[in-house]
Amino acid sequence: MTISPTLPLAAADRRPALVAGLSAPKGFGDATLRDRRADAIELLGGIPDPGVLPTQQLAEATARVLSRPGVPALQYSRTEGISPLREWIAEREGVPVNRIIVTNGGFHGLALAIQAVVERGDLVAVDNPIFPLFLRGLELSAAEILPVAVGPSGLDVGQLADLLRAGARPSALYTVPDFHNPTQGTLSEEGRRELVRLAEQYGFIVFADNPYRELWFSKPAAGSDVFNASEHVIHINTFTKTLGPGLRLGWAVVPEHLTRDIVALRSRQDSHSSTLVQAVVGELLTSDPGLFDATLDRARALYRNRAQTLVNALEREAPGVFDADVPDGGLFLWPRLLDNSIDADRLAADASAEGIEYQRGSFFPSGPGTDADRHLRLAYGHVSEPQLEEAAARLGRALRRQAG
């Protein structure tokens, strides 16, 4: 007779407190993978266009890496990352190589930063409106959040200073300094210096999340020197938007006093990023020194044209309905509804029925004091110009549904 082992009901139903209260933010991650029209145009995520990714060169680099004697790329490697990838990143960032930690994309860098800096129940200052997936990572620390406004000029450093003077004592601050997701704003050089000064004065660590930094349209954003020179900044970046999100490869520029802690933390988790992926990307970047910047030049021109196309199409299909500006870089448009009589939630539902999907602005706030619910976040990176034209036409039809 075969006896099937069973667990006591109490044990089978038991859920640790760490996971019991977790839920995905609305509209992000798996929440976007729902049924929709087969011909839907999706303006949902910051996805790079496949046409500007160096796929052939990646294939050739992979072949060279796998042909090396002993195939070291298929073995274990160091927690911090491997050469020559770390050296290439360090040179580009202008920092010693020992401050570079290779990660599994940008979000992994944020997770490591949170776990290394934030105690359970700490106060963490955050963008308002915010990239919601950061809050997902922050949930694991049961942190309290302190919203700080973000606008066309990036984080409102003046408001932050007022909150600090009034007694707020965050252990960390999170912001997207360049071509902000979702607001398009970019923090000035002066703003960066003041942010770092406040961090040093009040003793908190800045998590500078910078995945769009290289995707400028007419001129680069302020340099990274201010962030990389401070012991109070963890500067996080990724190849997700430039070489492809499927690589799951990024890095963090870490202050020297935190590198040991973050390496020790990671050695108790996934140990290191894929040796193969690191080796392939390192080979790609070092075998042809001009390839990365040439790839970026193509991407910048493409995304600039698509952003302009979308702004023009919105004005043509829905004249006077939106306040929409062509961003200075990045992958998102943040148009605001000018007519307060338009129901933004109904508009999203009607747009879905017409075959256009986007992120509602109401998914982004971290606190009061923002009109994010009157905005739409439209991602254009991977959508062709004819599709963007059609998306604007469908959105116009959705608006006319509400107008009766």
Side-chain angles (χ1 to χ4, degrees):
M1 181 176 68
T2 301
I3 300 176
S4 299
T6 59
L7 291 172
L9 183 61
D13 289 346
R14 180 177 177 272
R15 297 181 70 203
L18 182 66
V19 298
L22 300 183
S23 60
K26 290 182 179 180
F28 288 84
D30 292 343
T32 64
L33 304 177
R34 58 180 178 80
D35 293 337
R36 53 177 58 97
R37 278 176 46 165
D39 67 342
I41 299 172
E42 298 182 1
L43 311 184
L44 289 167
I47 301 171
D49 189 277
V52 296
L53 301 181
T55 52
Q56 181 61 38
Q57 294 92 332
L58 278 167
E60 293 167 357
T62 302
R64 291 195 297 273
V65 164
L66 290 177
S67 69
R68 288 177 182 151
V71 201
L74 296 184
Q75 300 298 334
Y76 293 112
S77 58
R78 296 180 60 186
T79 298
E80 301 95 319
I82 68 170
S83 301
L85 179 62
R86 286 178 76 214
E87 283 82 359
W88 185 92
I89 294 170
E91 182 177 359
R92 197 165 181 96
E93 294 283 7
V95 299
V97 70
N98 67 301
R99 292 184 56 195
I100 301 298
I101 296 178
V102 176
T103 63
N104 299 325
F107 189 71
H108 183 217
L110 291 172
L112 289 170
I114 291 168
Q115 292 165 4
V117 172
V118 180
E119 292 277 8
R120 289 190 65 79
D122 270 3
L123 182 67
V124 176
V126 299
D127 287 341
N128 183 28
I130 191 172
F131 167 56
L133 296 191
F134 176 75
L135 298 180
R136 178 189 287 183
L138 205 56
E139 277 185 278
L140 300 181
S141 295
E144 298 292 327
I145 64 170
L146 177 68
V148 181
V150 177
S153 299
L155 185 79
D156 188 338
V157 182
Q159 184 189 66
L160 173 65
D162 290 342
L163 292 167
L164 294 168
R165 283 192 291 267
R169 292 296 179 267
S171 61
L173 175 142
Y174 169 81
T175 191
V176 179
D178 293 327
F179 318 123
H180 183 264
N181 176 13
T183 70
Q184 310 176 187
T186 294
L187 191 60
S188 67
E189 181 83 15
E190 181 183 357
R192 291 165 204 247
R193 292 190 184 281
E194 178 63 6
L195 174 58
V196 167
R197 188 192 69 77
L198 290 170
E200 293 171 350
Q201 177 181 349
Y202 289 94
F204 60 87
I205 300 294
V206 174
F207 302 155
D209 183 15
N210 227 347
Y212 313 104
R213 181 181 73 186
E214 300 279 15
L215 299 180
W216 45 268
F217 293 164
S218 57
K219 63 178 181 178
S224 300
D225 296 349
V226 176
F227 290 147
N228 290 346
S230 176
E231 289 289 296
H232 285 257
V233 179
I234 299 178
H235 195 193
I236 296 155
N237 212 318
T238 178
F239 291 110
T240 291
K241 311 302 180 183
T242 55
L243 297 181
L247 293 170
R248 306 313 308 135
L249 195 66
W251 69 93
V253 181
V254 179
E256 290 188 3
H257 69 97
L258 288 174
T259 54
R260 182 176 178 180
D261 289 347
I262 290 180
V263 170
L265 176 67
R266 190 172 184 191
S267 70
R268 288 155 174 81
Q269 298 176 350
D270 69 334
S271 186
H272 62 76
S273 298
S274 164
T275 313
L276 176 60
V277 173
Q278 291 185 73
V280 168
V281 173
E283 172 70 15
L284 176 83
L285 297 173
T286 57
S287 62
D288 182 353
L291 181 139
F292 189 62
D293 286 314
T295 299
L296 291 174
D297 286 342
R298 291 192 298 273
R300 291 166 186 149
L302 182 71
Y303 301 148
R304 179 176 60 245
N305 289 340
R306 288 182 175 175
Q308 184 69 68
T309 294
L310 185 53
V311 169
N312 292 345
L314 287 175
E315 181 57 29
R316 183 179 62 252
E317 300 292 341
V321 172
F322 295 105
D323 179 11
D325 296 317
V326 177
D328 293 325
L331 296 171
F332 305 112
L333 208 64
W334 185 239
R336 181 172 63 89
L337 287 163
L338 294 172
D339 185 349
N340 289 332
S341 69
I342 296 173
D343 185 318
D345 289 330
R346 180 182 166 186
L347 177 60
D350 287 342
S352 183
E354 291 286 347
I356 172 175
E357 306 287 341
Y358 58 83
Q359 298 289 7
R360 306 182 194 191
S362 58
F363 291 162
F364 292 86
S366 60
T370 173
D371 65 348
D373 61 331
R374 304 305 301 162
H375 287 256
L376 290 62
R377 196 199 70 173
L378 308 178
Y380 49 76
H382 65 302
V383 185
S384 70
E385 292 184 29
Q387 282 186 306
L388 292 171
E389 301 269 5
E390 175 61 20
R394 294 180 183 187
L395 190 56
R397 292 197 293 272
L399 285 159
R400 288 192 288 277
R401 282 186 181 211
Q402 197 165 144

